[in-house]
Amino acid sequence: MKLVISEDFKDLELNEFPYDRAHSALGEYHYLKQAGVYGNWYDPISLHQWRSLDGSWLITSDGKKRFLEQNRGDNTKGAFANVYCCLVNKKKLYAAFTLEFDLRIFEVEHYCGMAFNYLTSRVYDFIGIKGNRLALYHREEESFFEYAYKEFDFVDLKTYHFKLVVGKKALVYLDGKLMFEADLAFIRGRFIACVAKSACRYSNIKVVMEDSAYKEHLELFKAEEERLALKCLNFPKLQLLKKINLMNFGSGRQLRIRLVDGKPIFLIAQHQKRMIRDSFARLSCLTCFDYNGNVLWQKGEPNNCLDNTLISCDLPFQIADINNDGKYEVIYSMDFEIIIADLLTGNILKSMPTPIIKGDELVKNEPFYRLNVDAIRVADFRGLGYKGDFIIKDRYQNVWAYDSNFNYLWRYHHKNTGHFPYIADFDNDGKDEMFVGYDMIDDDGKLLFSLPMNSDHTDEIIYARLNKNEPKKLILASGNEGMNIINMDGSIYKHNEIGHAQRISVAKYNNELDGLQIMATAFWGSDGIICLYDSHGNLLKQFEQMVNGNVITPINYDGKHILAITNASSDGGLLDGNLDKVVLFPEDGHPTLCVEAFDLDDDGIDEIICFDSHEMWIYKASSFTLGNRYLKYSDDGFSNYRGEYLLPLDYE
């Protein structure tokens, strides 16, 4: 017998396992690794319902032995009722094994035990107990299938010893006694995890293999490493092009970029939080700078402390030629005004006060007399032939539309707006319409259709043709409503459970498949899950990243391959159409907080921009082939809540 995993928790701190103490949404698109010792484990669960509560896992001791305790209890409700605390061991298992562990239950209402064949926090097999019931079950998203169970005389002060033998079938022992067996086979390349919804205590976790199985495990592990290493040889490595010192004006992922005379101009924003966490932030500083780091202008006083740079929402500023004079303007909101300024100088061209919302029956729980703008986006509602109109919104309730002379056009108030509406000429009448939340709105503000969805809100939206000879569709990451593909008559083409759907992207990730592919991530309750779907929304593959901040932005990497960026950390990298990490970021001290993609020199090959509140480093493939061009999201609509896409030109 060979010992593959042996965990006594002595390499961890006698403390809570690292977690986001604010239970914040920052990890939706920032890579944030909390301080602490992780050992051989990672925690894939984040949940806003746990704000003001402590961490899920506690390492403790009786003076002789270390224990891991589930420190959360249940504390879930609504759409997150099936969220179980998980702590996943990082070692993949490639052959049949025996899992042993000790478990004491502190509260009997919910199941506590260990997962095996673990793919994600929503897909695994499980052995554990709930009161006097021992059960073996399979979880598939929101469905639970019980293979076998047995009642026994439970004693709450007792520590139980579990033994699970899993190969072509599963045998379950409790305190040395065979309780039952089931037709449940081992799956190669998956994990084990502590999984609990009630308070409990783990100790003495071990995985052993027969000598022949261990040999197979090592051979398959080596073969997988060699497969990935050989695959990576087909992709040029990243080359560092530029370092820019952001001095004191750096920020989190609040960046806008436009090319002016073929050269990139950057605009970055800081904020100050007011009233309620991230809900009513004040845009406190805008800094415009060029590729060499020269500051062209600055509005406000910079301060790159964490409170002024990290926020889990958009800030209200965009770059667009809103007056159609051939030059770019910045349209932004600061101190209850909408301001249009020249991009290169910052000189204010015109301004208007934001709407008065005090006493407005359609605005709830806003703390100010005037609107504190949540996001801005330009549009062409009047059929001008250019984006000469714009919308502003509050947080989840209303959208106001104006022209560039600040004449009021219309207002939307129906369902939850989500973060960032999608604006396009959906019906080809020469005027833009708006898809917001779950609703399609005409160019005059009238409701065209509303989806039969009402919970949570839509985080990201893409409008694209997924198959060359088929109509365009809407692809939505709608939080607890999942990932959905919507026909343009408002009917649902495909619904997929993924947990809390957070981010989406569309591209030709896999050349061997028909049409384009959709990539999606989950966040709340199931962080790190990355799914790949075909052009009809059928799940092709999924896996779980061990870290947060996965933006899944598609890029034309080298003229031959479309890849998706996860994050810029050593745990991140670029994924191909098989969800393999084929390009890794160099270990050179680069910023890892934020990552963005942009074709900075307009050659068709995307640069990768890594930045934080102090520095910006710019990378590009060390070799590439020019020629292929793609349709991308408009540069006048930057947002942390936009679905990213790279569409072949013949898909337009």
Side-chain angles (χ1 to χ4, degrees), residues 99 101 103 111-116 124-129 134-138 148-149 162-164 171-174 179-180 184 193 195 202:
L99 167 66
F101 64 98
L103 182 67
Y111 274 113
C112 303
M114 292 202 71
F116 60 102
Y124 54 78
D125 294 312
F126 171 89
I127 178 66
I129 55 178
L134 172 70
L136 180 67
Y137 69 74
H138 173 73
Y149 75 93
F162 287 76
K163 180 180 177 181
L164 171 73
L171 288 76
V172 176
Y173 297 81
L174 188 67
M179 303 296 281
F180 50 76
L184 195 168
V195 175
Y202 297 82

Side-chain angles (χ1 to χ4, degrees), residues 19 24 51 131 133 139 164 195 227 233 251 270 355 367 390 430 439 444 516 577:
Y19 71 102
S24 74
R51 285 173 184 155
R133 185 182 180 90
R139 175 171 187 174
L164 171 73
V195 175
R227 182 189 73 84
L233 294 177
S251 189
Q270 295 177 351
F390 66 93
D439 293 346
D444 58 1
L516 306 183

Side-chain angles (χ1 to χ4, degrees), residues 300-319:
E301 182 176 346
N303 181 353
N304 62 346
C305 69
L306 285 180
D307 280 345
N308 291 358
T309 56
L310 284 180
I311 192 167
S312 60
C313 63
D314 283 333
L315 294 177
F317 69 113
Q318 298 289 353
I319 300 173

